[in-house]
Amino acid sequence: MAEPQRAGRALYVLTILAGSFLLFLVQPMVARIALPRLGGAPAVWNSAMLVYQALLLAGYGYAHALDRLPVRRQAAVHLGLLAIASLWLPIGVLGWTLPSGTAPELWVPWLLAASIGPLFVAVSAQAPLIQRWFAAARPGQDPYRLYAASNLGSFAGLLAYPLLVEPLVSVAGQRWLWTGGYLLLIALVAAIAWRLPNAAVQRAEPVAEDTPPGWRRIAMWIALALVPSGLMLATSTYITTDIVAMPLLWVLPLGLYLLSFSIAFADRRAPADFITSVAPITIILFGGVMIGGFTLEPALGLLLALALLFMVAVALHTAMYRLRPAPQRLTGFYLAMSVGGALGGLFAGLIAPGLFDWTWEYPLLILAAGALVPQSILLPPLQALWRRGRGIPALAVVGAICALLLMLREWGPPAWFGEDSPGLIFAVIAVVGLASIGVRAAYVTVLAVSLLLFGGINALRITAAGDIRTRSYFGVYTLSERADERTLAHGTTLHGVQLLGSPEREQQPTTYYTPSSGVGRALTIAPALYGPEGRIGVVGLGTGTLACYALPTQYWTFFEIDPVVADLARTRFSFLRTCTPDAQTVIGDARVSIAAARPQSFDLLALDAFSSDAVPIHLLTREAFADYGRALQPKGLLLVHISNRYMDLTPIVAAAARAGGWQAIELMDRPPLNEDGASLSHWIALSRDPGVIDALKGYGTGWVAIDQAGAGAGWTDDYASILPLLHP
């Protein structure tokens, strides 16, 4: 069956673009829909990631199983699946409630799989199926070029959600928008099915490769997919932990990861081949520098980390493209690729946070990339040196140089290794590493030594100490202690400071919670407002600094999402032990916990979930403030901490205040530079009782009324976007 050349290919490209676009649009969309009801506990989001990976594997496995049928019958079966899956439209999360006594990590996967499973499987199968049908309809043409279009669609879907869909369309509108896209996809698949060749024509299709790929080749496909997938997630964790914790940074690594497929599988081979040729240079030069954290500017560190990820992803995906099978076996190829991608995500997203106390997966995956990346001898004059008969002595020389550098790291001048810059040893590593390119054993040896020299050894020392650093699914926590203070850092964000030296200093509130801060003033006058038996709630435990405003007769409750933080606050800092030994700590998502609390449970509620730069959107919607209002008594006081390096949350709180009938004032506290442990802080105070606001304004100066009229619409569970709030 002959097809019009241009129109036929355009139809395949459009169909595969549409399917990939919908696939990457649905993932953040479903997360956004589920957030207010399920909360942000690690069990929820880790389970969601596993569900996505499992459903993607199921889709690719279904496509591979379907490949045993003639293509027209494949199309009929797939159209049937698309029709059955449409019963789950409009897309959303089922209204199931968590059964009593059921662990969320066991229940949430079932909920998400039941909510989107058939739709996700049907759409995820598009990429391999459409390519297989293209190969059958147009024998002699390479179907793998369509995979580049598939990843362009994924890239577009990924960017479209935070940049266009979320800012412009409510959640209800998003559900119907996706539904419309899904119906268009069915029409496109039906149009392709109508044009597919019949069985007789398909049997005449030439088979370029009769021998099935062996297990070594399949294992290589899996490995080449695993490392970039894991490195993408590891880079996201690394840059938001050790470089800059800015919202939306997860989009950049994932976007570059998807873009690498488009380059690696494109018709024009020059870009992919060039990037592959220089990738070993990038790895040897940037790998150790990134681990050492020598960059002075966060923007430069971010740029280097992303460049390293992109080079590795393009090089390894290009190597995978070079090992691709004949079109008749492409579904098995993509199934192996999805297995590798899922294993990489499983390692970096779930296993590593539970196994390591630091982002050790990052250097390990860089090392794995160096072991897999295609390479040839970079400098022709060195070819004779590495020829048989001289290669082993040359490798011994490289090993001796590396051993010498490791000894110098222990006993040599520290300046050689750099304080704020890589130093002299970096130049030595660069020269030896470049000379080793093309000889994999030597190259990997130099790369491993580089990772150890510029950060790895120090990280090993901290790990060996055992109690300085710990990790959870929310990040890496590092304890530091000097003669006069103990600090807790969450990546690059200060989590708390306790002064040392005397009982008075140890109970002194510090950082964002000093007596001059908004929350400090509110807690100081709380006994006068609510009596000595006031009921105080705090969202975000941190080191427990606020506990030392407590009176023995007050009732305090802390809401903390991370059990690791709760353990650190009670074992490594003394605020809780000394000031509120009987305080209750509720582990889990605060919004869900407060919504379940009895009405009027608190006199004062402090939200301290915004001092880091990752903003929990579902805690700032109008519906969330309605939950806070129900949990507070009629004259209750709500304090919201919005200190942030990258965005101004004032308009969001002001809009919620206007919608809920709250009066709101704000305080930007700038303590003196010589005040021990004090930090700049920005707090907003809200109450439905004007007398409470007047009392707070009367305690010290600096409070300013918030302009609620010009605050805009604010956030709701149906609509939220952080883009308008980002600082220029």
Side-chain angles (χ1 to χ4, degrees):
M1 180 184 294
E3 290 184 294
Q5 294 293 316
R6 293 182 180 177
R9 180 174 179 182
L11 181 60
Y12 285 98
V13 171
L14 180 59
T15 304
I16 205 166
L17 278 171
S20 298
F21 182 87
L22 290 175
L23 191 65
F24 269 79
L25 196 64
V26 74
Q27 297 186 31
M29 185 183 298
V30 168
R32 177 70 181 84
I33 294 170
L35 184 61
R37 187 153 60 86
L38 301 181
V44 173
W45 303 119
N46 294 336
S47 297
M49 187 182 71
L50 284 176
V51 168
Y52 291 147
Q53 291 174 335
L55 293 177
L56 183 66
L57 268 176
Y60 277 42
Y62 153 77
H64 182 58
L66 211 59
D67 193 43
R68 300 176 182 177
L69 303 176
V71 290
R72 291 183 69 88
R73 192 171 299 174
Q74 291 179 32
V77 173
H78 189 56
L79 283 169
L81 177 62
L82 288 169
I84 293 172
S86 66
L87 297 175
W88 274 256
L89 295 173
I91 200 164
V93 177
L94 297 176
W96 297 353
T97 56
L98 177 66
S100 177
T102 303
E105 60 269 25
L106 299 178
W107 178 76
V108 170
W110 286 105
L111 172 64
L112 294 178
S115 299
I116 66 169
L119 289 166
F120 200 99
V121 169
V123 175
S124 65
Q126 293 298 115
L129 281 179
I130 296 300
Q131 291 176 74
R132 183 67 188 91
W133 298 349
F134 180 87
R138 307 169 75 88
Q141 295 192 28
D142 186 4
Y144 288 101
R145 67 184 67 178
L146 292 180
Y147 196 62
S150 170
N151 282 278
L152 281 178
S154 301
F155 183 69
L158 175 68
L159 293 184
Y161 189 79
L163 297 180
L164 295 175
V165 177
E166 189 178 39
L168 299 177
V169 185
S170 68
V171 167
Q174 292 172 28
R175 298 175 64 194
W176 288 107
L177 177 68
W178 200 91
T179 298
Y182 185 81
L183 296 177
L184 173 63
L185 180 65
I186 293 178
L188 292 171
V189 172
I192 289 179
W194 180 263
R195 296 167 173 259
L196 286 175
N198 58 36
V201 174
Q202 187 185 352
R203 281 194 296 269
E205 180 184 350
V207 178
E209 179 179 317
D210 290 322
T211 305
W215 70 267
R216 293 180 183 274
R217 192 175 182 188
I218 294 174
M220 182 58 70
W221 291 342
I222 293 173
L224 291 171
L226 185 155
V227 172
S229 172
L231 189 61
M232 178 266 295
L233 290 177
T235 299
S236 301
T237 301
Y238 179 76
I239 62 179
T240 55
T241 298
D242 288 352
I243 298 180
V244 53
M246 183 178 177
L248 289 182
L249 276 188
W250 62 271
V251 174
L252 297 178
L254 182 54
L256 291 175
Y257 172 77
L258 294 174
L259 192 60
S260 72
F261 280 108
S262 297
I263 295 175
F265 283 72
D267 279 344
R268 295 183 60 216
R269 303 308 307 156
D273 292 340
F274 172 76
I275 293 174
T276 301
S277 66
V278 300
I281 304 174
T282 305
I283 295 172
I284 203 72
L285 292 181
F286 292 171
V289 172
M290 290 311 307
I291 300 304
F294 291 117
T295 55
L296 294 174
E297 293 294 331
L300 180 57
L302 175 63
L303 182 63
L304 292 180
L306 294 177
L308 181 62
L309 168 65
F310 184 65
M311 292 288 189
V312 167
V314 171
L316 297 189
H317 290 154
T318 297
M320 189 161 51
Y321 175 82
R322 292 171 179 172
L323 293 174
R324 69 194 185 283
Q328 292 73 26
R329 301 191 186 278
L330 65 77
T331 57
F333 172 69
Y334 287 122
L335 179 61
M337 183 190 302
S338 67
V339 169
L343 290 176
L346 186 67
F347 170 67
L350 288 181
I351 296 176
L355 186 63
F356 302 139
D357 70 336
W358 183 60
T359 53
W360 281 110
E361 66 273 19
Y362 190 58
L364 289 175
L365 287 165
I366 291 175
L367 187 62
L372 291 173
V373 67
Q375 53 183 275
S376 57
I377 293 177
L378 178 66
L379 303 175
L382 294 176
Q383 290 183 3
L385 183 64
W386 289 110
R387 285 175 183 168
R388 183 174 299 181
R390 298 183 184 179
I392 294 178
L395 183 60
V397 171
V398 170
I401 294 174
C402 290
L404 177 62
L405 293 178
L406 288 172
M407 288 189 291
L408 287 173
R409 188 67 181 89
E410 292 298 306
W411 299 293
W416 286 8
F417 293 86
E419 299 296 334
D420 295 327
S421 60
L424 175 64
I425 300 301
F426 172 76
V428 176
I429 282 287
V431 170
V432 177
L434 293 176
S436 301
I437 292 177
V439 184
R440 197 170 299 276
Y443 177 83
V444 172
T445 300
V446 176
L447 178 59
V449 170
S450 174
L451 295 172
L452 287 172
L453 292 176
F454 303 119
I457 291 177
N458 287 336
L460 283 170
R461 287 192 181 121
I462 296 175
T463 296
D467 60 350
I468 297 176
R469 187 171 58 202
T470 189
R471 183 177 181 182
S472 74
Y473 289 112
F474 291 92
V476 177
Y477 303 99
T478 304
L479 286 160
S480 302
E481 186 167 329
R482 300 185 309 203
D484 59 344
E485 68 179 29
R486 181 182 297 118
T487 64
L488 177 66
H490 180 190
T492 58
T493 301
L494 183 66
H495 231 44
V497 175
Q498 183 166 35
L499 303 179
L500 305 176
S502 67
E504 293 77 14
R505 280 175 58 84
E506 291 183 5
Q507 297 178 28
Q508 178 180 331
T510 57
T511 61
Y512 319 104
Y513 321 109
T514 60
S516 62
S517 68
V519 71
R521 299 184 193 189
L523 289 171
T524 300
I525 68 168
L529 291 173
Y530 307 114
E533 295 184 349
R535 300 160 301 168
I536 311 297
V538 178
V539 175
L541 176 59
T543 57
T545 309
L546 288 176
C548 285
Y549 285 103
L551 298 179
T553 53
Q554 289 178 327
Y555 300 92
W556 280 61
T557 302
F558 291 94
F559 298 92
E560 175 55 51
I561 196 170
D562 192 348
V564 169
V565 170
D567 181 68
L568 289 171
R570 291 197 174 274
T571 59
R572 304 308 299 268
F573 295 84
S574 63
F575 294 119
L576 291 177
R577 296 197 307 270
T578 304
C579 302
T580 56
D582 298 325
Q584 181 184 11
T585 301
V586 179
I587 301 297
D589 184 84
R591 167 111 182 246
V592 175
S593 300
I594 290 174
R598 294 194 308 271
Q600 302 185 28
S601 298
F602 300 101
D603 300 308
L604 185 149
L605 187 61
L607 300 182
D608 181 34
F610 317 109
S611 58
S612 72
D613 299 297
V615 179
I617 288 176
H618 70 300
L619 296 184
L620 287 178
T621 64
R622 287 207 301 260
E623 293 84 352
F625 276 78
D627 290 337
Y628 308 146
R630 284 191 295 270
L632 285 166
Q633 61 129 310
K635 294 186 177 182
L637 183 60
L638 177 65
L639 277 298
V640 184
H641 187 195
I642 61 169
S643 301
N644 198 283
R645 288 176 285 185
Y646 302 105
M647 64 182 63
D648 179 14
L649 296 171
T650 304
I652 300 304
V653 180
R658 182 185 64 226
W662 305 77
Q663 291 197 23
I665 55 177
E666 64 179 333
L667 176 67
M668 181 71 75
D669 181 43
R670 295 179 173 86
L673 294 177
N674 60 354
E675 184 174 340
D676 284 347
S679 303
L680 182 147
S681 66
H682 189 184
W683 288 85
I684 296 178
L686 306 95
S687 180
R688 293 190 171 109
D689 189 304
V692 172
I693 293 296
D694 290 339
L696 186 58
K697 290 170 65 176
Y699 186 78
T701 61
W703 288 103
V704 177
I706 291 179
D707 178 18
Q708 299 184 25
W715 288 346
T716 68
D717 286 349
D718 194 48
Y719 171 82
S721 174
I722 70 171
L723 291 181
L725 310 175
L726 293 175
H727 293 308

